[in-house]
Amino acid sequence: MSAKRTAESAAGRQSEAAVPSVDRPAERAAWLRSELERANYAYYVLDQPDLPDAEYDTLFKELQGIETAHPGLIVPDSPTQRVGGEVAEGFTPVVHDVPMLSLNNGFADEDIAAFDKRVADGLGIASVDYACELKFDGLAISLRYDDGKFVQASTRGDGATGEDVTANVRTIRSIPLTLKGTNIPKRLDVRGEVLMFKRDFERLNARQREFANPRNAAAGGLRQLDPKMTAQRSLSFFAYGIGVLDGADMPPTHSGLLDWYKEMGLPVNAERAVVEGADGLLGFFRKIGEKRDKLPYDIDGVVYKVNRRDEQDKLGFVSRAPRFALAHKFPAQETLTQLLAIDVQVGRTGAITPVARLAPVFVGGATVTNATLHNEDEVRRKDIRIGDTVIVRRAGDVIPEVVGAMLDRRPDDAREFVMPTACPVCGSNIERLPDEAIARCTGGLFCPAQRKQALWHFAQRRALDIDGLGEKIIGQLVEQNLVRTPADLFNLGFSTLAALDRFADKSAQNLIDSLEKASKTTLARFIYALGIRHVGESTAKDLAKHFGSLDPIMAASVEELLEVNDVGPIVAEAIHNFFGEAHNQHVIEQLCTKVSWLEGPPAPKAPQGVLAGKTIVLTGTLPSLSREEAKEMLEAAGAKVAGSVSKKTDYVVAGAEAGSKLAKAEELGVPVLDKDGMKKLLEGVTP
Ligand code: IVH
């Protein structure tokens, strides 16, 4: 169980009086089971954890202990059985008593309008109510509950016959082993989707890097012969349909069915709505489209279902899909194409990125011809070769990437990628440090590619904001060797600029004016513009605020840099190295004769207050106090609030889910305080 549980509320838990004592094992076990399942429900279905992790683990171990001592007390719906039992030989076929159908697809607005018209005409009514839900990108399964007990799970298979995956599905914590409430049918087949949340996929892939996407990982998880492996996959489930129902009334609407599911403790996704007509459908589609990237799981569209069951029945089915439902799909984010070549690109810091040149293909709403391959190891790991048919992914605004190769389509003459040893732009050596994933051109600002990018970064809106200095002009300036460093920009004369290709007198004058304007800047912008590795806009601001002027930043030791808000060892090291390099010092010196900013107020030398001279690090979540508030309180008392723990740290204030900083404090023997300890400190009481 994840550390996300908190002990905030104990609502819904049984009163202490009802708890059976340990000397009545059968009753005690039954109580433990219900308590653990209730906690699972609160955590996985309601998303309102109410039992601390440690307490869950204690109860779980106690139940395991009872079951080991009294094997007769083990029942299949015990939470201990979720961790995975016997390894199977294979999967037994299961015939679906009600077939599992598929959905017809629509893409364009006209498809949706046509669907709505077909439905309205078929029913002979003017306006139709639809239940709208997400189209989850996972695998359909059917869960069978007899008298409210989970007894079987089967995959969709060919729709008529699937495979028995009960042992694997039992490991999915959000699936109740026992249904809640009083209106429990004699038999119920719940249909829904098994999927893997993106965060679980990332965790899995960080270790194994085996799957192209969460859907494949979920599919692999369901088909594990060893349920223990499934349990490790952290799969999830959402209910959206029904097969056999016996011994209870069918709710009159689809939305009513989902409400009933929720009452019984089944996970039902909250992103659903009942809408009217085609406009309502398209409104839902747009709303979900905007949210799509922020959802914690993948979806490939939305699903519309006629809400009233009597109307559904009236419309019936065509071949293998219902007439009453439609999947409205997003444009595919993945597609296949040919990998024509792999070139390398040189980035601002010299990073060499392999880039896939692709046969043009339409994916995710745009034509893609290039895609990143990230780095050399990625190319090997994904086993991508020139000539392969590759899977290209373009999701939202993310840069297109090559996900993998279709090995069964690999031509005999497919070639492996070889990282060049010399920079294709400047010919300098390409070097890769032993513990780094990235190969770099060693040419520094001698390399025109790096120079162009450094200049481009320097001129960016959020840096010096040099209006009119675009990529094309930078290209010419570098290629004609007119500009070698950012400082050279300020020496450009009118006649030099006016002589550039496609540059009129007016644009030359405009650029000179904007250089003049850009030369009055702020310290934070200037630092950001330098393009120091790992120093983004916000770190640049923090540096400017902390030190007040440039000289102390350039002179700062790694230790001193670590005292800056949110600056950790890697960033501190990068800043220190940057300013230590003679070439950079020289460029800065030149720049300082051209560029100016108002010096900020010098960093207060001797702060007043009970915590004057103390360095404090905040980590984790403090109860009812935001990090910002805590920081303000500490700073008001004269303390310096630093971003990472070092020998110079006087105290670490740690809240819930404190991680590496807490460990570091313990390692260095820095005193650790909780919120109360911090309060005492502010009152002048030293622990
Ligand atoms: S209903 C009779 N609802 O899409 C209709 N399916 O193309 C049966 N899917 O195999 C399916 N989200 O794996 C339905 N909210 C949703 C869905 C959904 C995803 C999948 C499911 C099914 C496929 C049909």
Side-chain angles (χ1 to χ4, degrees), residues 100-105 133-141 156 192-193 215 240-241 300 302-303 305 317 320-322 324-325 327:
M100 292 179 76
L101 303 173
S102 57
L103 293 167
N104 287 322
N105 293 329
E133 52 200 42
L134 303 181
K135 185 164 190 316
F136 306 103
D137 200 4
L139 298 110
I141 55 160
R156 177 169 180 271
E193 199 90 345
R215 186 182 185 280
Y240 55 63
D300 55 355
V302 298
V303 181
K305 297 169 182 170
F317 301 84
R320 308 185 30 74
F324 59 78

PDB file of all heavy atoms in Angstrom, residues 100-105 133-141 156 192-193 215 240-241 300 302-303 305 317 320-322 324-325 327, ligand 1:
ATOM      1  N   MET A 100     -19.615 -10.180 -25.159  1.00  0.00           N
ATOM      2  CA  MET A 100     -18.983  -8.865 -24.952  1.00  0.00           C
ATOM      3  C   MET A 100     -18.761  -8.244 -26.318  1.00  0.00           C
ATOM      4  O   MET A 100     -17.939  -8.705 -27.091  1.00  0.00           O
ATOM      5  CB  MET A 100     -17.661  -9.026 -24.207  1.00  0.00           C
ATOM      6  CG  MET A 100     -17.873  -9.499 -22.777  1.00  0.00           C
ATOM      7  SD  MET A 100     -16.320  -9.715 -21.872  1.00  0.00           S
ATOM      8  CE  MET A 100     -15.865  -8.021 -21.518  1.00  0.00           C
ATOM      9  N   LEU A 101     -19.512  -7.165 -26.577  1.00  0.00           N
ATOM     10  CA  LEU A 101     -19.501  -6.586 -27.923  1.00  0.00           C
ATOM     11  C   LEU A 101     -18.455  -5.489 -28.040  1.00  0.00           C
ATOM     12  O   LEU A 101     -17.764  -5.168 -27.092  1.00  0.00           O
ATOM     13  CB  LEU A 101     -20.886  -6.028 -28.227  1.00  0.00           C
ATOM     14  CG  LEU A 101     -22.003  -7.067 -28.102  1.00  0.00           C
ATOM     15  CD1 LEU A 101     -23.342  -6.408 -28.243  1.00  0.00           C
ATOM     16  CD2 LEU A 101     -21.816  -8.164 -29.138  1.00  0.00           C
ATOM     17  N   SER A 102     -18.377  -4.961 -29.251  1.00  0.00           N
ATOM     18  CA  SER A 102     -17.485  -3.809 -29.406  1.00  0.00           C
ATOM     19  C   SER A 102     -18.320  -2.591 -29.762  1.00  0.00           C
ATOM     20  O   SER A 102     -19.545  -2.667 -29.815  1.00  0.00           O
ATOM     21  CB  SER A 102     -16.431  -4.097 -30.464  1.00  0.00           C
ATOM     22  OG  SER A 102     -17.080  -4.424 -31.654  1.00  0.00           O
ATOM     23  N   LEU A 103     -17.655  -1.484 -30.005  1.00  0.00           N
ATOM     24  CA  LEU A 103     -18.364  -0.232 -30.267  1.00  0.00           C
ATOM     25  C   LEU A 103     -18.076   0.240 -31.680  1.00  0.00           C
ATOM     26  O   LEU A 103     -16.984   0.038 -32.198  1.00  0.00           O
ATOM     27  CB  LEU A 103     -17.878   0.845 -29.298  1.00  0.00           C
ATOM     28  CG  LEU A 103     -18.201   0.659 -27.817  1.00  0.00           C
ATOM     29  CD1 LEU A 103     -17.392   1.633 -26.973  1.00  0.00           C
ATOM     30  CD2 LEU A 103     -19.695   0.873 -27.578  1.00  0.00           C
ATOM     31  N   ASN A 104     -19.057   0.900 -32.286  1.00  0.00           N
ATOM     32  CA  ASN A 104     -18.780   1.596 -33.533  1.00  0.00           C
ATOM     33  C   ASN A 104     -18.037   2.883 -33.207  1.00  0.00           C
ATOM     34  O   ASN A 104     -18.229   3.467 -32.143  1.00  0.00           O
ATOM     35  CB  ASN A 104     -20.085   1.929 -34.255  1.00  0.00           C
ATOM     36  CG  ASN A 104     -20.713   0.676 -34.851  1.00  0.00           C
ATOM     37  OD1 ASN A 104     -20.008  -0.202 -35.362  1.00  0.00           O
ATOM     38  ND2 ASN A 104     -22.030   0.569 -34.749  1.00  0.00           N
ATOM     39  N   ASN A 105     -17.202   3.319 -34.155  1.00  0.00           N
ATOM     40  CA  ASN A 105     -16.386   4.511 -33.923  1.00  0.00           C
ATOM     41  C   ASN A 105     -16.862   5.707 -34.735  1.00  0.00           C
ATOM     42  O   ASN A 105     -17.366   5.539 -35.847  1.00  0.00           O
ATOM     43  CB  ASN A 105     -14.937   4.251 -34.355  1.00  0.00           C
ATOM     44  CG  ASN A 105     -14.273   3.228 -33.467  1.00  0.00           C
ATOM     45  OD1 ASN A 105     -14.597   3.140 -32.277  1.00  0.00           O
ATOM     46  ND2 ASN A 105     -13.371   2.452 -34.027  1.00  0.00           N
ATOM     47  N   GLU A 133     -19.277   8.896 -21.165  1.00  0.00           N
ATOM     48  CA  GLU A 133     -18.196   8.480 -20.272  1.00  0.00           C
ATOM     49  C   GLU A 133     -16.886   8.439 -21.044  1.00  0.00           C
ATOM     50  O   GLU A 133     -16.847   8.728 -22.237  1.00  0.00           O
ATOM     51  CB  GLU A 133     -18.524   7.142 -19.598  1.00  0.00           C
ATOM     52  CG  GLU A 133     -18.923   6.051 -20.553  1.00  0.00           C
ATOM     53  CD  GLU A 133     -19.693   4.922 -19.857  1.00  0.00           C
ATOM     54  OE1 GLU A 133     -20.567   5.200 -19.015  1.00  0.00           O
ATOM     55  OE2 GLU A 133     -19.411   3.756 -20.193  1.00  0.00           O
ATOM     56  N   LEU A 134     -15.821   8.079 -20.355  1.00  0.00           N
ATOM     57  CA  LEU A 134     -14.515   8.043 -20.999  1.00  0.00           C
ATOM     58  C   LEU A 134     -14.335   6.726 -21.735  1.00  0.00           C
ATOM     59  O   LEU A 134     -14.896   5.710 -21.352  1.00  0.00           O
ATOM     60  CB  LEU A 134     -13.410   8.175 -19.948  1.00  0.00           C
ATOM     61  CG  LEU A 134     -13.481   9.412 -19.069  1.00  0.00           C
ATOM     62  CD1 LEU A 134     -12.319   9.436 -18.084  1.00  0.00           C
ATOM     63  CD2 LEU A 134     -13.496  10.688 -19.912  1.00  0.00           C
ATOM     64  N   LYS A 135     -13.549   6.762 -22.809  1.00  0.00           N
ATOM     65  CA  LYS A 135     -13.157   5.504 -23.443  1.00  0.00           C
ATOM     66  C   LYS A 135     -11.752   5.186 -22.954  1.00  0.00           C
ATOM     67  O   LYS A 135     -10.775   5.773 -23.396  1.00  0.00           O
ATOM     68  CB  LYS A 135     -13.199   5.605 -24.967  1.00  0.00           C
ATOM     69  CG  LYS A 135     -12.915   4.257 -25.608  1.00  0.00           C
ATOM     70  CD  LYS A 135     -13.310   4.209 -27.061  1.00  0.00           C
ATOM     71  CE  LYS A 135     -13.258   2.809 -27.640  1.00  0.00           C
ATOM     72  NZ  LYS A 135     -12.107   2.010 -27.297  1.00  0.00           N
ATOM     73  N   PHE A 136     -11.715   4.283 -21.998  1.00  0.00           N
ATOM     74  CA  PHE A 136     -10.446   3.937 -21.362  1.00  0.00           C
ATOM     75  C   PHE A 136      -9.603   3.108 -22.307  1.00  0.00           C
ATOM     76  O   PHE A 136     -10.117   2.228 -22.998  1.00  0.00           O
ATOM     77  CB  PHE A 136     -10.700   3.129 -20.081  1.00  0.00           C
ATOM     78  CG  PHE A 136     -11.641   3.819 -19.145  1.00  0.00           C
ATOM     79  CD1 PHE A 136     -12.963   3.419 -19.035  1.00  0.00           C
ATOM     80  CD2 PHE A 136     -11.208   4.902 -18.409  1.00  0.00           C
ATOM     81  CE1 PHE A 136     -13.835   4.074 -18.194  1.00  0.00           C
ATOM     82  CE2 PHE A 136     -12.074   5.564 -17.562  1.00  0.00           C
ATOM     83  CZ  PHE A 136     -13.393   5.150 -17.456  1.00  0.00           C
ATOM     84  N   ASP A 137      -8.302   3.375 -22.298  1.00  0.00           N
ATOM     85  CA  ASP A 137      -7.419   2.628 -23.183  1.00  0.00           C
ATOM     86  C   ASP A 137      -6.798   1.471 -22.403  1.00  0.00           C
ATOM     87  O   ASP A 137      -5.642   1.499 -22.009  1.00  0.00           O
ATOM     88  CB  ASP A 137      -6.337   3.560 -23.732  1.00  0.00           C
ATOM     89  CG  ASP A 137      -5.717   2.995 -24.990  1.00  0.00           C
ATOM     90  OD1 ASP A 137      -6.177   1.932 -25.457  1.00  0.00           O
ATOM     91  OD2 ASP A 137      -4.769   3.608 -25.503  1.00  0.00           O
ATOM     92  N   GLY A 138      -7.621   0.465 -22.165  1.00  0.00           N
ATOM     93  CA  GLY A 138      -7.147  -0.704 -21.417  1.00  0.00           C
ATOM     94  C   GLY A 138      -7.717  -1.960 -22.041  1.00  0.00           C
ATOM     95  O   GLY A 138      -7.754  -2.073 -23.266  1.00  0.00           O
ATOM     96  N   LEU A 139      -8.154  -2.877 -21.189  1.00  0.00           N
ATOM     97  CA  LEU A 139      -8.713  -4.136 -21.703  1.00  0.00           C
ATOM     98  C   LEU A 139     -10.049  -4.405 -21.047  1.00  0.00           C
ATOM     99  O   LEU A 139     -10.183  -4.265 -19.825  1.00  0.00           O
ATOM    100  CB  LEU A 139      -7.797  -5.297 -21.339  1.00  0.00           C
ATOM    101  CG  LEU A 139      -6.441  -5.168 -21.957  1.00  0.00           C
ATOM    102  CD1 LEU A 139      -5.449  -4.877 -20.869  1.00  0.00           C
ATOM    103  CD2 LEU A 139      -6.122  -6.425 -22.686  1.00  0.00           C
ATOM    104  N   ALA A 140     -11.006  -4.827 -21.884  1.00  0.00           N
ATOM    105  CA  ALA A 140     -12.330  -5.111 -21.345  1.00  0.00           C
ATOM    106  C   ALA A 140     -12.284  -6.419 -20.555  1.00  0.00           C
ATOM    107  O   ALA A 140     -11.665  -7.394 -20.992  1.00  0.00           O
ATOM    108  CB  ALA A 140     -13.325  -5.225 -22.487  1.00  0.00           C
ATOM    109  N   ILE A 141     -12.938  -6.417 -19.380  1.00  0.00           N
ATOM    110  CA  ILE A 141     -13.098  -7.687 -18.670  1.00  0.00           C
ATOM    111  C   ILE A 141     -14.506  -7.783 -18.113  1.00  0.00           C
ATOM    112  O   ILE A 141     -15.239  -6.793 -18.024  1.00  0.00           O
ATOM    113  CB  ILE A 141     -12.116  -7.925 -17.498  1.00  0.00           C
ATOM    114  CG1 ILE A 141     -12.167  -6.781 -16.502  1.00  0.00           C
ATOM    115  CG2 ILE A 141     -10.720  -8.209 -17.967  1.00  0.00           C
ATOM    116  CD1 ILE A 141     -11.609  -7.215 -15.156  1.00  0.00           C
ATOM    117  N   ARG A 156     -12.140 -10.418 -22.571  1.00  0.00           N
ATOM    118  CA  ARG A 156     -13.157 -10.353 -23.618  1.00  0.00           C
ATOM    119  C   ARG A 156     -12.962 -11.466 -24.644  1.00  0.00           C
ATOM    120  O   ARG A 156     -13.928 -12.042 -25.135  1.00  0.00           O
ATOM    121  CB  ARG A 156     -13.051  -8.987 -24.304  1.00  0.00           C
ATOM    122  CG  ARG A 156     -13.986  -8.798 -25.445  1.00  0.00           C
ATOM    123  CD  ARG A 156     -13.985  -7.342 -25.874  1.00  0.00           C
ATOM    124  NE  ARG A 156     -14.893  -7.172 -26.985  1.00  0.00           N
ATOM    125  CZ  ARG A 156     -14.562  -7.313 -28.249  1.00  0.00           C
ATOM    126  NH1 ARG A 156     -13.326  -7.628 -28.560  1.00  0.00           N
ATOM    127  NH2 ARG A 156     -15.453  -7.144 -29.200  1.00  0.00           N
ATOM    128  N   GLY A 192     -16.260  -3.941 -17.541  1.00  0.00           N
ATOM    129  CA  GLY A 192     -15.476  -2.713 -17.383  1.00  0.00           C
ATOM    130  C   GLY A 192     -14.093  -2.884 -17.955  1.00  0.00           C
ATOM    131  O   GLY A 192     -13.815  -3.840 -18.682  1.00  0.00           O
ATOM    132  N   GLU A 193     -13.239  -1.940 -17.620  1.00  0.00           N
ATOM    133  CA  GLU A 193     -11.912  -1.897 -18.233  1.00  0.00           C
ATOM    134  C   GLU A 193     -10.815  -1.999 -17.180  1.00  0.00           C
ATOM    135  O   GLU A 193     -10.848  -1.304 -16.171  1.00  0.00           O
ATOM    136  CB  GLU A 193     -11.774  -0.553 -18.973  1.00  0.00           C
ATOM    137  CG  GLU A 193     -10.687  -0.525 -19.999  1.00  0.00           C
ATOM    138  CD  GLU A 193     -11.177  -0.954 -21.390  1.00  0.00           C
ATOM    139  OE1 GLU A 193     -12.280  -1.539 -21.508  1.00  0.00           O
ATOM    140  OE2 GLU A 193     -10.431  -0.700 -22.357  1.00  0.00           O
ATOM    141  N   ARG A 215      -1.243   0.559 -21.748  1.00  0.00           N
ATOM    142  CA  ARG A 215      -2.172  -0.468 -22.175  1.00  0.00           C
ATOM    143  C   ARG A 215      -1.461  -1.815 -22.341  1.00  0.00           C
ATOM    144  O   ARG A 215      -1.942  -2.850 -21.878  1.00  0.00           O
ATOM    145  CB  ARG A 215      -2.814  -0.062 -23.507  1.00  0.00           C
ATOM    146  CG  ARG A 215      -3.887  -1.009 -23.925  1.00  0.00           C
ATOM    147  CD  ARG A 215      -4.509  -0.655 -25.256  1.00  0.00           C
ATOM    148  NE  ARG A 215      -5.604  -1.576 -25.487  1.00  0.00           N
ATOM    149  CZ  ARG A 215      -5.458  -2.796 -25.922  1.00  0.00           C
ATOM    150  NH1 ARG A 215      -4.244  -3.267 -26.175  1.00  0.00           N
ATOM    151  NH2 ARG A 215      -6.493  -3.586 -26.075  1.00  0.00           N
ATOM    152  N   TYR A 240     -18.232  -0.070 -16.442  1.00  0.00           N
ATOM    153  CA  TYR A 240     -19.064   0.735 -17.354  1.00  0.00           C
ATOM    154  C   TYR A 240     -20.188  -0.041 -18.031  1.00  0.00           C
ATOM    155  O   TYR A 240     -20.886   0.505 -18.875  1.00  0.00           O
ATOM    156  CB  TYR A 240     -18.204   1.438 -18.406  1.00  0.00           C
ATOM    157  CG  TYR A 240     -17.297   0.506 -19.217  1.00  0.00           C
ATOM    158  CD1 TYR A 240     -17.835  -0.490 -20.030  1.00  0.00           C
ATOM    159  CD2 TYR A 240     -15.919   0.648 -19.176  1.00  0.00           C
ATOM    160  CE1 TYR A 240     -17.011  -1.328 -20.770  1.00  0.00           C
ATOM    161  CE2 TYR A 240     -15.089  -0.173 -19.914  1.00  0.00           C
ATOM    162  CZ  TYR A 240     -15.639  -1.171 -20.708  1.00  0.00           C
ATOM    163  OH  TYR A 240     -14.835  -2.001 -21.439  1.00  0.00           O
ATOM    164  N   GLY A 241     -20.354  -1.316 -17.715  1.00  0.00           N
ATOM    165  CA  GLY A 241     -21.404  -2.057 -18.414  1.00  0.00           C
ATOM    166  C   GLY A 241     -21.859  -3.262 -17.623  1.00  0.00           C
ATOM    167  O   GLY A 241     -21.381  -3.519 -16.517  1.00  0.00           O
ATOM    168  N   ASP A 300      -8.663   6.955 -25.112  1.00  0.00           N
ATOM    169  CA  ASP A 300      -8.507   7.187 -26.545  1.00  0.00           C
ATOM    170  C   ASP A 300      -9.747   7.820 -27.152  1.00  0.00           C
ATOM    171  O   ASP A 300      -9.896   7.866 -28.363  1.00  0.00           O
ATOM    172  CB  ASP A 300      -8.046   5.930 -27.303  1.00  0.00           C
ATOM    173  CG  ASP A 300      -8.939   4.741 -27.076  1.00  0.00           C
ATOM    174  OD1 ASP A 300      -9.877   4.850 -26.253  1.00  0.00           O
ATOM    175  OD2 ASP A 300      -8.728   3.696 -27.720  1.00  0.00           O
ATOM    176  N   VAL A 302     -14.125   9.239 -26.072  1.00  0.00           N
ATOM    177  CA  VAL A 302     -15.220   9.145 -25.107  1.00  0.00           C
ATOM    178  C   VAL A 302     -16.270   8.193 -25.686  1.00  0.00           C
ATOM    179  O   VAL A 302     -16.211   7.853 -26.879  1.00  0.00           O
ATOM    180  CB  VAL A 302     -15.852  10.526 -24.800  1.00  0.00           C
ATOM    181  CG1 VAL A 302     -14.829  11.450 -24.169  1.00  0.00           C
ATOM    182  CG2 VAL A 302     -16.422  11.156 -26.064  1.00  0.00           C
ATOM    183  N   VAL A 303     -17.180   7.741 -24.839  1.00  0.00           N
ATOM    184  CA  VAL A 303     -18.219   6.819 -25.292  1.00  0.00           C
ATOM    185  C   VAL A 303     -19.586   7.425 -24.984  1.00  0.00           C
ATOM    186  O   VAL A 303     -19.794   7.965 -23.891  1.00  0.00           O
ATOM    187  CB  VAL A 303     -18.089   5.436 -24.597  1.00  0.00           C
ATOM    188  CG1 VAL A 303     -19.163   4.480 -25.100  1.00  0.00           C
ATOM    189  CG2 VAL A 303     -16.700   4.836 -24.823  1.00  0.00           C
ATOM    190  N   LYS A 305     -23.672   6.614 -24.771  1.00  0.00           N
ATOM    191  CA  LYS A 305     -24.648   5.529 -24.716  1.00  0.00           C
ATOM    192  C   LYS A 305     -26.035   6.131 -24.487  1.00  0.00           C
ATOM    193  O   LYS A 305     -26.168   7.013 -23.616  1.00  0.00           O
ATOM    194  CB  LYS A 305     -24.319   4.570 -23.558  1.00  0.00           C
ATOM    195  CG  LYS A 305     -22.967   3.878 -23.731  1.00  0.00           C
ATOM    196  CD  LYS A 305     -22.505   3.141 -22.489  1.00  0.00           C
ATOM    197  CE  LYS A 305     -21.123   2.537 -22.750  1.00  0.00           C
ATOM    198  NZ  LYS A 305     -20.484   2.001 -21.538  1.00  0.00           N
ATOM    199  N   PHE A 317     -29.007  -4.109 -31.945  1.00  0.00           N
ATOM    200  CA  PHE A 317     -27.613  -4.275 -32.365  1.00  0.00           C
ATOM    201  C   PHE A 317     -27.499  -4.419 -33.875  1.00  0.00           C
ATOM    202  O   PHE A 317     -28.408  -4.902 -34.521  1.00  0.00           O
ATOM    203  CB  PHE A 317     -27.031  -5.543 -31.719  1.00  0.00           C
ATOM    204  CG  PHE A 317     -27.087  -5.481 -30.217  1.00  0.00           C
ATOM    205  CD1 PHE A 317     -28.243  -5.845 -29.519  1.00  0.00           C
ATOM    206  CD2 PHE A 317     -25.991  -5.040 -29.494  1.00  0.00           C
ATOM    207  CE1 PHE A 317     -28.298  -5.762 -28.141  1.00  0.00           C
ATOM    208  CE2 PHE A 317     -26.036  -4.963 -28.119  1.00  0.00           C
ATOM    209  CZ  PHE A 317     -27.192  -5.321 -27.432  1.00  0.00           C
ATOM    210  N   ARG A 320     -21.876  -6.803 -34.523  1.00  0.00           N
ATOM    211  CA  ARG A 320     -21.290  -7.032 -33.210  1.00  0.00           C
ATOM    212  C   ARG A 320     -21.235  -5.775 -32.340  1.00  0.00           C
ATOM    213  O   ARG A 320     -20.531  -5.726 -31.349  1.00  0.00           O
ATOM    214  CB  ARG A 320     -19.899  -7.626 -33.384  1.00  0.00           C
ATOM    215  CG  ARG A 320     -19.945  -8.851 -34.295  1.00  0.00           C
ATOM    216  CD  ARG A 320     -18.642  -9.568 -34.424  1.00  0.00           C
ATOM    217  NE  ARG A 320     -17.785  -9.492 -33.260  1.00  0.00           N
ATOM    218  CZ  ARG A 320     -17.989 -10.152 -32.121  1.00  0.00           C
ATOM    219  NH1 ARG A 320     -19.047 -10.934 -31.993  1.00  0.00           N
ATOM    220  NH2 ARG A 320     -17.156 -10.032 -31.133  1.00  0.00           N
ATOM    221  N   ALA A 321     -21.957  -4.741 -32.739  1.00  0.00           N
ATOM    222  CA  ALA A 321     -21.919  -3.503 -31.957  1.00  0.00           C
ATOM    223  C   ALA A 321     -23.337  -2.981 -31.720  1.00  0.00           C
ATOM    224  O   ALA A 321     -24.210  -3.141 -32.565  1.00  0.00           O
ATOM    225  CB  ALA A 321     -21.091  -2.464 -32.702  1.00  0.00           C
ATOM    226  N   PRO A 322     -23.556  -2.373 -30.567  1.00  0.00           N
ATOM    227  CA  PRO A 322     -24.896  -1.838 -30.301  1.00  0.00           C
ATOM    228  C   PRO A 322     -25.181  -0.598 -31.138  1.00  0.00           C
ATOM    229  O   PRO A 322     -24.273   0.185 -31.399  1.00  0.00           O
ATOM    230  CB  PRO A 322     -24.850  -1.493 -28.817  1.00  0.00           C
ATOM    231  CG  PRO A 322     -23.413  -1.325 -28.475  1.00  0.00           C
ATOM    232  CD  PRO A 322     -22.621  -2.148 -29.449  1.00  0.00           C
ATOM    233  N   PHE A 324     -27.064   1.646 -30.003  1.00  0.00           N
ATOM    234  CA  PHE A 324     -27.343   2.709 -29.031  1.00  0.00           C
ATOM    235  C   PHE A 324     -26.077   3.376 -28.484  1.00  0.00           C
ATOM    236  O   PHE A 324     -26.150   4.251 -27.639  1.00  0.00           O
ATOM    237  CB  PHE A 324     -28.178   2.172 -27.862  1.00  0.00           C
ATOM    238  CG  PHE A 324     -27.537   1.032 -27.110  1.00  0.00           C
ATOM    239  CD1 PHE A 324     -26.531   1.266 -26.183  1.00  0.00           C
ATOM    240  CD2 PHE A 324     -27.960  -0.284 -27.316  1.00  0.00           C
ATOM    241  CE1 PHE A 324     -25.947   0.230 -25.494  1.00  0.00           C
ATOM    242  CE2 PHE A 324     -27.371  -1.331 -26.624  1.00  0.00           C
ATOM    243  CZ  PHE A 324     -26.358  -1.078 -25.707  1.00  0.00           C
ATOM    244  N   ALA A 325     -24.910   2.918 -28.960  1.00  0.00           N
ATOM    245  CA  ALA A 325     -23.671   3.477 -28.399  1.00  0.00           C
ATOM    246  C   ALA A 325     -22.698   3.846 -29.511  1.00  0.00           C
ATOM    247  O   ALA A 325     -22.763   3.301 -30.613  1.00  0.00           O
ATOM    248  CB  ALA A 325     -23.017   2.487 -27.445  1.00  0.00           C
ATOM    249  N   ALA A 327     -18.381   5.149 -29.930  1.00  0.00           N
ATOM    250  CA  ALA A 327     -17.106   5.637 -29.383  1.00  0.00           C
ATOM    251  C   ALA A 327     -16.678   6.819 -30.231  1.00  0.00           C
ATOM    252  O   ALA A 327     -16.572   6.702 -31.449  1.00  0.00           O
ATOM    253  CB  ALA A 327     -16.053   4.541 -29.429  1.00  0.00           C
TER     254      ALA A 327
HETATM  255  S1  IVH B   1     -18.955  -0.240 -23.618  1.00  0.00           S
HETATM  256  C1  IVH B   1     -21.676  -2.898 -25.796  1.00  0.00           C
HETATM  257  N1  IVH B   1     -17.700   1.727 -22.441  1.00  0.00           N
HETATM  258  O1  IVH B   1     -13.879  -0.154 -25.940  1.00  0.00           O
HETATM  259  C2  IVH B   1     -20.594  -1.943 -25.572  1.00  0.00           C
HETATM  260  N2  IVH B   1     -16.426   0.210 -23.742  1.00  0.00           N
HETATM  261  O2  IVH B   1     -14.636  -0.795 -28.763  1.00  0.00           O
HETATM  262  C3  IVH B   1     -19.448  -2.535 -24.885  1.00  0.00           C
HETATM  263  N3  IVH B   1     -14.022   0.671 -23.736  1.00  0.00           N
HETATM  264  O3  IVH B   1     -13.982  -3.636 -25.748  1.00  0.00           O
HETATM  265  C4  IVH B   1     -18.358  -1.616 -24.536  1.00  0.00           C
HETATM  266  N4  IVH B   1     -14.116   2.409 -22.401  1.00  0.00           N
HETATM  267  O4  IVH B   1     -12.514  -2.384 -24.055  1.00  0.00           O
HETATM  268  C5  IVH B   1     -17.582   0.657 -23.239  1.00  0.00           C
HETATM  269  N5  IVH B   1     -16.718   3.500 -21.285  1.00  0.00           N
HETATM  270  C6  IVH B   1     -16.605   2.423 -22.089  1.00  0.00           C
HETATM  271  C7  IVH B   1     -15.377   1.975 -22.571  1.00  0.00           C
HETATM  272  C8  IVH B   1     -15.321   0.865 -23.415  1.00  0.00           C
HETATM  273  C9  IVH B   1     -13.323   1.613 -23.093  1.00  0.00           C
HETATM  274  C10 IVH B   1     -13.435  -0.353 -24.632  1.00  0.00           C
HETATM  275  C11 IVH B   1     -13.758  -1.757 -24.268  1.00  0.00           C
HETATM  276  C12 IVH B   1     -14.418  -2.353 -25.482  1.00  0.00           C
HETATM  277  C13 IVH B   1     -14.012  -1.412 -26.565  1.00  0.00           C
HETATM  278  C14 IVH B   1     -15.077  -1.364 -27.613  1.00  0.00           C
END
